[in-house]
Amino acid sequence: MDESLVSGIVMLVVMIAIFYFMLIRPENKRKKEATEMRNSLAIGDEITTIGGIVGTICAVKTNSIVIETGADRVRLELMKWSVSSKGVQISEDEKASESQKAADAKKSDSKK
């Protein structure tokens, strides 16, 4: 066999392996974790949907869930695939404002 042909095949195999370990494998892991999280949803869990709706689960069905949102207790039926996370997600701006409020509270407590 020609030496350049062997080195070309080796380079191709290395590139495919790198592609697999850098892109495909982590994506499959994220999908598996998301599926497990969606299958473990239970009544009373707070969730955030991919559309940004925040609510508390009040019923779980095979492929869907029913959530209550806000103080007016509106109920929405959503597909399980639309749940992005358990718990309430907050933006970076909200995190900064909460940390500022906590710092202000500490200052006012120390002055008393």
Side-chain angles (χ1 to χ4, degrees):
M1 279 181 113
D2 189 38
E3 195 173 308
S4 63
L5 180 64
V6 172
S7 66
I9 291 173
V10 169
M11 287 298 290
L12 183 62
V13 170
V14 168
M15 293 296 285
I16 290 172
I18 290 171
F19 186 75
Y20 175 77
F21 284 107
M22 297 296 285
L23 298 174
I24 296 171
R25 192 167 179 246
E27 182 62 28
N28 287 342
K29 187 176 178 182
R30 278 191 291 274
K31 284 182 184 177
K32 184 179 177 184
E33 289 172 354
T35 302
E36 289 174 359
M37 181 268 303
R38 290 175 182 135
N39 288 334
S40 70
L41 293 173
I43 295 173
D45 289 344
E46 277 199 15
I47 58 128
T48 303
T49 67
I50 57 176
I53 299 172
V54 177
T56 304
I57 297 175
C58 57
V60 178
K61 299 178 182 178
T62 305
N63 293 321
S64 64
I65 57 171
V66 177
I67 65 169
E68 279 186 357
T69 62
D72 53 357
R73 299 179 57 146
V74 173
R75 290 187 176 207
L76 301 170
E77 183 169 359
L78 305 167
M79 300 304 293
K80 282 186 177 180
W81 60 260
S82 68
V83 176
S84 71
S85 66
K86 279 188 183 179
V88 179
Q89 293 179 344
I90 59 175
S91 68
E92 293 297 322
D93 294 336
E94 290 172 336
K95 285 180 186 177
S97 66
E98 285 183 8
S99 63
Q100 183 63 38
K101 286 178 186 177
D104 292 343
K106 279 186 178 181
K107 287 180 184 178
S108 65
D109 288 342
S110 64
K111 289 180 181 179
K112 289 181 181 181

